[in-house]
Amino acid sequence: MEIRRIIELLRHGTPGESIKVQGWVRTKRELKEFAFLDVNDGSSLQGLQVVVNQNLPEYEQTLKLLNTGSSVSIEGELVASQGKNQRVELVAKAVQVWGTADLETYPLQKKRHSFEFLRTIAHLRSRTNTLGSVFRIRNACSQAIHQFFQDRDFMWIHTPIITASDCEGAGEQLAVTSLNLQDVPLSEDQTVDYSQDFFGKPTYLTVSGQLEGEIMASAFCNVYTFGPTFRAENSNTSRHLAEFWMVEPEVAFCDLQGDMDLAEAFLKHVFKSVLEQCPEDFEFFNLRIDKSVLETADTIINSEFERITYTEAVNQLEKASRKFEFPVEWGLDLQSEHERYLSEELFKKPVIVTDYPKQIKAFYMRMNDDDKTVAAMDVLVPKIGEIIGGSQREERLDLLEQRIVAQGLPLEDYWWYLDLRRYGTVPHAGFGLGFERLVQFMTGMANIRDVIPFPRTPLNAEF
Amino acid sequence: MEIRRIIELLRHGTPGESIKVQGWVRTKRELKEFAFLDVNDGSSLQGLQVVVNQNLPEYEQTLKLLNTGSSVSIEGELVASQGKNQRVELVAKAVQVWGTADLETYPLQKKRHSFEFLRTIAHLRSRTNTLGSVFRIRNACSQAIHQFFQDRDFMWIHTPIITASDCEGAGEQLAVTSLNLQDVPLSEDQTVDYSQDFFGKPTYLTVSGQLEGEIMASAFCNVYTFGPTFRAENSNTSRHLAEFWMVEPEVAFCDLQGDMDLAEAFLKHVFKSVLEQCPEDFEFFNLRIDKSVLETADTIINSEFERITYTEAVNQLEKASRKFEFPVEWGLDLQSEHERYLSEELFKKPVIVTDYPKQIKAFYMRMNDDDKTVAAMDVLVPKIGEIIGGSQREERLDLLEQRIVAQGLPLEDYWWYLDLRRYGTVPHAGFGLGFERLVQFMTGMANIRDVIPFPRTPLNAEF
């Protein structure tokens, strides 16, 4: 008998069909002569209603096993549902119970649980409505990202996770080592003897694949990374993870305008695609988690992003009638409150801020003709602030060398990065997007730990 | 003017079209009154032939800059090519040289380079024919993998890279730490004080996402990982990387038969899809690298995989007329030479060997009724041997606990893995595939370091 996924039955199942479903019992409602089961196989938020009645062989014994959490295969016939919550329901003709779940000890009984509690049972939490919807959206979002880039002839590249350089100078990295920490070998000068380490030198977990992305763009023109990155920031906040996935396109023969166009088209495509693929999950978040997520999606998809320079943004912030906690002054970085003001209050839509002061941006960003600002751009969205950060890269060898030196970084560490400017250099640009921030933004989930299956944060590496 | 990718022009360009291309000059051939350029933008193995003649403004000066490696944007008109190597060529009307490449120092002059040398300039090697083709195939292969699973309603899941457990007991792991190696803090008992480490306990780079995959399959039924994994094996071979990408599907309500069917369909789909997308690159490998890669692809796609038990395989090996280096005896693991004999010589096609002795397989594989073998399966292919390893997982709580204890592993470390068997356990199965091994097999490349952009191996973490 044909095994069917529940989402497909709810959407297209026809009364009269004989089918088989497999999944887990979420609830059981016993009436006098029969019982209703809500069976979920993870394919959709809503489960399939299954009617188990006394025609079933060994009805009484089977019913006892069918508690919340038990796993089943059920064969039967689809009938039109009399309830108004679903089109069809399944009348069971044969039930196989694979595994039971003890009523007393199974942690996911019907009652609600806090997200904090659910994090302690991350091996079971995907069986709840909210986390199930989060991870379906996460998958749809991943696929929308691949589709966007592949349709535009971008190549997915795998940049290294283990790196010997802290090339971005982005701060605290986690070290990777095969040395025995209990007894680290020292050289004669009493420093760590890295010649005995696996890679023969200090190595770390990458904070960005951008510089390697630039290598690949210098051969294939359009590339993107989509992989794990790491930060050892000791920030116990609802927006930080030590391990997260990042998307980083890099495009040869592209300037800042092209970069902004790409970022805007990218966000529109991803929201549109996920909304089309997971309408029920989106509705759920709008109803239960954050009543603005559908409106936000609509704004992303249908509004033209505002584009202003950093200097204009600072002028606007200085004119704002409200007070900010952090100071506003040309030369200082924008804080989250400033970014949100611009996007949420002033323009009421996404805003791309460009041309930031050089001193607050990374060395690789392209110097503008004013010699004060660089060709950077940040995409700001309501509620979140910055969701994408990008720039045109400095492709001129002499200017890049000056910037590296000016920031006190050792030129020799960048020999291959500089080679890209020595041999066939091209104008190029790219951006970075934190994937979990995007899923958080899309779903309205308050804590970033609830949009990744197994979050890694300070003092937490469970599962 | 419309910017076009070269692969698309070579396939569909029409004489008379005015277009613009962007890329890098691979070669320049100067004749008396004009010159031919071979321009490549990374979209295809073959470049576009560009004719530069004296009608071009500043012909002489421009021509001097157009050396191998220089980067250009060229506008012009497509004309039918008189050479037989391409349908169309471009007559340049305007040339912009973005970056030059010094004739003396640019490492990629026309002559051939060894793959060993190219590894030392991994930031430039993607601009060569072979590496360009490798990475186009790598991308096509990645997309074929996503497509295969997404079309079958599998969810892409991101399992953690940093893990506190060595759950597979698979051997040497690389440690992740924020401790100062120069001065590791010790507790009173002189052991490492991990309470001061970032995660508060010893953590490592994952060797497999399988166990977390089982968690997710226990909620969503069909899932797959596709992400980086790590091994600290000190193996300087042409088949080992310390950092590599792995694909690991996990399927609930699936037994070993279903697992084999999935693995076979998977390999067939991936080969078929890549062959369709990258025919030129495949031809190139067949011509220049390994004259059997097209035949191998054909065998994968069109033959029904042989399926035999380990016991039958041992019988066949004992009967073989040839001698093996390693002993053949029931209870010993199959070596690469045995696997290759079965696939290359005996059956001349892929072979799936099932039901291995329990003592040579991992604790999580499902015990067969004979109590001697487990429901494991390895897919063996010509030239490579094992390319996929999988199993049905032990879903019975008591048997799983026995196996964990029998292997001397601490039960308490597996509390959440055992919970999956306590609450709604289901028969389930999955497999693992080393992505680089697949690309190596597909292309015939001799060294695995040449199918990943930036290989990590003992004493090597450059770029």
Side-chain angles (χ1 to χ4, degrees):
Chain A
M1 192 169 292
E2 200 189 356
I3 296 164
R4 302 273 284 272
R5 295 305 298 269
I6 287 170
I7 191 157
E8 189 262 319
L9 291 176
L10 293 174
R11 287 176 180 173
H12 310 295
T14 314
E17 287 187 278
S18 285
I19 56 107
K20 182 176 178 177
V21 293
Q22 308 184 128
W24 290 265
V25 175
R26 286 278 177 90
T27 59
K28 171 172 69 176
R29 194 151 48 95
E30 288 187 74
L31 301 173
K32 198 147 189 200
E33 319 239 292
F34 60 96
F36 286 120
L37 305 178
D38 177 28
V39 176
N40 196 295
D41 66 0
S43 66
S44 79
L45 175 66
Q46 200 185 348
L48 183 68
Q49 177 153 294
V50 177
V51 185
V52 182
N53 63 34
Q54 295 183 327
N55 294 331
L56 195 76
E58 305 184 334
Y59 172 68
E60 297 290 345
Q61 298 97 303
T62 305
L63 202 60
K64 267 195 208 126
L65 301 174
L66 291 170
N67 292 325
T68 294
S70 59
S71 49
V72 288
S73 294
I74 304 180
E75 296 180 10
E77 188 182 324
L78 285 186
V79 299
S81 182
Q82 284 163 16
K84 58 185 175 205
N85 291 326
Q86 61 276 321
R87 292 173 43 253
V88 291
E89 58 192 43
L90 182 67
V91 178
K93 296 202 169 146
V95 173
Q96 173 157 20
V97 181
W98 295 103
T100 57
D102 186 75
L103 267 174
E104 300 300 317
T105 63
Y106 186 52
L108 289 177
Q109 296 301 333
K110 209 177 167 183
K111 72 182 170 69
R112 292 224 182 170
H113 301 285
S114 72
F115 291 126
E116 288 73 18
F117 170 72
L118 289 176
R119 267 171 240 146
T120 67
I121 51 165
H123 62 308
L124 300 173
R125 67 177 180 164
S126 291
R127 304 180 188 181
T128 64
N129 281 343
T130 307
L131 275 295
S133 285
V134 164
F135 294 132
R136 275 187 298 278
I137 283 196
R138 189 179 164 103
N139 175 61
C141 199
S142 301
Q143 290 316 301
I145 289 166
H146 279 306
Q147 194 197 351
F148 176 83
F149 288 119
Q150 294 287 329
D151 283 354
R152 282 161 182 76
D153 292 323
F154 281 61
M155 185 184 275
W156 185 26
I157 56 165
H158 300 115
T159 49
I161 308 303
I162 298 169
T163 173
S165 55
D166 178 10
C167 274
E168 263 214 271
E172 300 201 43
Q173 290 183 296
L174 289 161
V176 174
T177 183
S178 66
L179 295 176
N180 179 358
L181 296 190
Q182 182 79 53
D183 183 18
V184 174
L186 298 180
S187 306
E188 282 186 15
D189 65 354
Q190 297 302 304
T191 60
V192 176
D193 180 8
Y194 281 107
S195 71
Q196 297 187 45
D197 206 351
F198 191 85
F199 296 105
K201 63 177 80 165
T203 49
Y204 307 94
L205 292 176
T206 186
V207 296
S208 163
Q210 178 199 314
L211 303 199
E212 289 91 355
E214 290 184 55
I215 289 177
M216 300 303 274
S218 300
F220 301 104
C221 291
N222 307 334
V223 302
Y224 66 108
T225 71
F226 186 172
T229 47
F230 304 84
R231 294 284 154 85
E233 282 176 284
N234 217 325
S235 308
N236 251 314
T237 80
S238 61
R239 287 166 47 87
H240 288 89
L241 291 167
E243 174 181 322
F244 56 99
W245 285 62
M246 192 134 80
V247 178
E248 295 180 287
E250 192 69 36
V251 189
F253 304 99
C254 181
D255 61 13
L256 193 67
Q257 290 299 322
D259 203 31
M260 287 191 281
D261 294 343
L262 186 73
E264 182 168 347
F266 170 81
L267 282 179
K268 286 181 189 321
H269 168 86
V270 172
F271 270 87
K272 198 151 176 272
S273 173
V274 177
L275 203 48
E276 277 166 16
Q277 280 189 63
C278 305
E280 301 90 348
D281 297 313
F282 247 112
E283 290 282 356
F284 171 80
F285 287 110
N286 201 62
L287 199 66
R288 296 294 178 83
I289 302 294
D290 176 345
K291 301 218 180 312
S292 68
V293 297
L294 280 173
E295 192 191 319
T296 301
D298 184 69
T299 306
I300 297 281
I301 294 169
N302 295 310
S303 70
E304 200 180 320
F305 292 11
E306 191 70 33
R307 299 178 184 198
I308 61 170
T309 64
Y310 166 87
T311 304
E312 289 162 2
V314 168
N315 286 341
Q316 291 290 351
L317 290 165
E318 284 171 342
K319 281 194 293 190
S321 53
R322 51 166 288 190
K323 276 194 79 104
F324 296 109
E325 190 186 340
F326 291 91
V328 173
E329 189 189 317
W330 202 99
L332 297 180
D333 208 355
L334 301 184
Q335 300 297 319
S336 187
E337 58 174 345
H338 308 137
E339 297 173 337
R340 292 182 59 174
Y341 168 79
L342 293 169
S343 179
E344 270 170 52
E345 297 184 40
L346 187 63
F347 294 108
K348 298 187 180 7
K349 61 178 179 175
V351 180
I352 310 184
V353 178
T354 63
D355 304 300
Y356 285 75
K358 65 179 178 186
Q359 62 269 29
I360 59 170
K361 288 291 185 184
F363 72 88
Y364 52 72
M365 298 189 180
R366 192 178 197 275
M367 188 66 68
N368 286 328
D369 290 343
D370 62 12
D371 206 32
K372 285 189 208 152
T373 60
V374 290
M377 64 111 184
D378 282 358
V379 182
L380 316 180
V381 293
K383 289 185 291 181
I384 297 273
E386 184 205 323
I387 194 158
I388 282 178
S391 69
Q392 184 170 346
R393 319 309 187 184
E394 184 56 78
E395 88 282 11
R396 297 162 295 187
L397 181 62
D398 51 345
L399 286 164
L400 183 58
E401 285 178 336
Q402 283 169 28
R403 289 273 285 160
I404 291 173
V405 171
Q407 300 215 359
L409 299 167
L411 265 186
E412 59 274 20
D413 285 3
Y414 296 86
W415 68 273
W416 53 264
Y417 192 65
L418 293 166
D419 262 7
L420 299 179
R421 280 72 183 170
R422 260 181 212 111
Y423 305 121
T425 189
V426 290
H428 62 290
F431 64 78
L433 165 111
F435 180 60
E436 282 74 17
R437 292 257 174 101
L438 175 63
V439 178
Q440 208 187 349
F441 177 47
M442 199 173 259
T443 57
M445 292 295 289
N447 196 313
I448 200 164
R449 298 166 199 215
D450 299 325
V451 302
I452 188 167
F454 308 100
R456 267 72 182 109
T457 53
L459 300 181
N460 177 33
E462 285 301 318
F463 305 100
Chain B
M1 192 169 293
E2 199 190 356
I3 296 164
R4 303 271 285 272
R5 296 306 297 270
I6 287 172
I7 191 157
E8 190 261 318
L9 291 176
L10 294 175
R11 288 177 179 170
H12 311 294
T14 314
E17 287 187 276
S18 286
I19 56 106
K20 181 176 179 179
V21 294
Q22 308 186 129
W24 290 265
V25 174
R26 285 279 177 90
T27 60
K28 172 172 67 173
R29 192 153 48 96
E30 288 187 74
L31 301 173
K32 201 148 186 199
E33 320 238 294
F34 59 98
F36 287 120
L37 305 177
D38 178 29
V39 175
N40 196 296
D41 65 1
S43 66
S44 79
L45 175 66
Q46 199 183 350
L48 183 67
Q49 177 154 293
V50 177
V51 185
V52 182
N53 62 36
Q54 295 181 328
N55 295 331
L56 195 74
E58 305 183 336
Y59 173 69
E60 298 290 346
Q61 299 97 303
T62 304
L63 203 60
K64 268 196 209 122
L65 301 175
L66 290 169
N67 291 326
T68 294
S70 60
S71 49
V72 288
S73 293
I74 303 180
E75 295 180 11
E77 188 183 324
L78 286 185
V79 300
S81 182
Q82 284 160 18
K84 57 185 177 202
N85 291 326
Q86 61 276 321
R87 289 174 45 253
V88 291
E89 57 192 45
L90 182 68
V91 177
K93 297 202 168 146
V95 173
Q96 172 156 21
V97 181
W98 294 103
T100 57
D102 186 74
L103 267 174
E104 301 300 317
T105 62
Y106 184 52
L108 290 176
Q109 295 302 334
K110 209 177 167 184
K111 73 179 170 72
R112 291 224 182 171
H113 301 285
S114 72
F115 291 128
E116 288 73 18
F117 169 72
L118 290 176
R119 267 171 240 145
T120 68
I121 51 164
H123 62 307
L124 300 173
R125 67 175 180 165
S126 291
R127 303 180 190 183
T128 64
N129 281 344
T130 307
L131 276 295
S133 285
V134 164
F135 295 133
R136 276 188 297 279
I137 283 197
R138 191 179 163 103
N139 175 60
C141 199
S142 300
Q143 290 317 302
I145 289 167
H146 280 306
Q147 193 197 352
F148 176 83
F149 288 120
Q150 295 287 329
D151 284 353
R152 282 162 182 74
D153 292 322
F154 280 61
M155 183 183 277
W156 185 26
I157 56 165
H158 299 115
T159 48
I161 307 303
I162 298 169
T163 172
S165 55
D166 177 11
C167 274
E168 264 213 272
E172 299 200 45
Q173 290 182 296
L174 289 162
V176 174
T177 183
S178 67
L179 296 176
N180 179 359
L181 297 190
Q182 183 79 53
D183 184 19
V184 174
L186 298 179
S187 306
E188 282 185 17
D189 64 355
Q190 297 302 305
T191 60
V192 176
D193 180 8
Y194 281 108
S195 72
Q196 297 186 44
D197 207 350
F198 191 86
F199 296 105
K201 63 176 82 163
T203 49
Y204 306 93
L205 292 176
T206 187
V207 296
S208 163
Q210 179 199 314
L211 304 198
E212 288 90 355
E214 291 184 55
I215 289 175
M216 300 302 275
S218 301
F220 300 105
C221 291
N222 306 335
V223 302
Y224 66 107
T225 71
F226 187 171
T229 47
F230 304 83
R231 294 284 154 85
E233 281 178 283
N234 217 325
S235 309
N236 251 315
T237 79
S238 62
R239 286 167 47 86
H240 288 89
L241 291 168
E243 174 180 322
F244 56 99
W245 285 62
M246 191 135 79
V247 178
E248 297 180 285
E250 192 69 35
V251 189
F253 304 100
C254 180
D255 60 14
L256 193 67
Q257 289 299 321
D259 203 31
M260 288 191 279
D261 293 345
L262 186 74
E264 182 168 346
F266 170 81
L267 282 179
K268 285 180 189 321
H269 169 87
V270 172
F271 270 87
K272 197 150 178 274
S273 173
V274 177
L275 203 48
E276 277 166 17
Q277 281 189 63
C278 304
E280 300 89 350
D281 297 312
F282 247 111
E283 290 282 356
F284 172 80
F285 287 110
N286 201 63
L287 199 66
R288 296 294 178 83
I289 302 293
D290 175 346
K291 301 220 179 312
S292 70
V293 297
L294 280 174
E295 192 190 319
T296 301
D298 183 70
T299 306
I300 296 282
I301 294 168
N302 295 309
S303 70
E304 199 181 320
F305 292 12
E306 191 70 34
R307 300 182 182 194
I308 61 170
T309 64
Y310 167 86
T311 304
E312 288 161 3
V314 168
N315 286 342
Q316 292 289 351
L317 290 165
E318 283 171 342
K319 280 194 294 188
S321 54
R322 53 164 288 187
K323 276 194 79 101
F324 296 108
E325 190 186 340
F326 290 91
V328 173
E329 188 188 316
W330 201 100
L332 298 181
D333 208 354
L334 301 185
Q335 299 298 319
S336 187
E337 57 173 344
H338 308 136
E339 296 172 339
R340 292 183 58 174
Y341 169 78
L342 293 169
S343 179
E344 270 171 51
E345 298 184 39
L346 187 63
F347 294 108
K348 296 185 183 0
K349 61 178 181 175
V351 180
I352 310 183
V353 178
T354 62
D355 304 301
Y356 285 75
K358 65 180 178 184
Q359 61 269 29
I360 59 171
K361 288 292 185 184
F363 71 88
Y364 51 71
M365 298 191 180
R366 192 179 197 274
M367 188 66 68
N368 286 328
D369 291 342
D370 62 13
D371 206 30
K372 284 188 209 157
T373 60
V374 290
M377 65 109 183
D378 281 359
V379 181
L380 316 181
V381 292
K383 293 184 289 179
I384 297 272
E386 182 204 324
I387 194 159
I388 282 178
S391 68
Q392 184 170 346
R393 319 307 188 185
E394 184 57 77
E395 88 281 11
R396 296 162 295 187
L397 181 61
D398 51 344
L399 286 164
L400 182 59
E401 285 179 336
Q402 284 170 28
R403 290 272 285 160
I404 291 174
V405 170
Q407 300 215 359
L409 299 167
L411 266 185
E412 59 275 20
D413 284 4
Y414 295 87
W415 68 273
W416 52 265
Y417 192 64
L418 293 166
D419 263 6
L420 299 179
R421 279 72 183 170
R422 257 181 215 112
Y423 305 119
T425 190
V426 290
H428 62 290
F431 64 77
L433 165 110
F435 180 60
E436 282 74 18
R437 292 259 174 101
L438 176 64
V439 178
Q440 208 186 349
F441 177 47
M442 200 173 259
T443 57
M445 292 296 287
N447 196 313
I448 200 164
R449 298 167 200 214
D450 299 325
V451 301
I452 188 166
F454 308 99
R456 267 70 181 114
T457 52
L459 300 181
N460 177 35
E462 285 301 319
F463 305 101

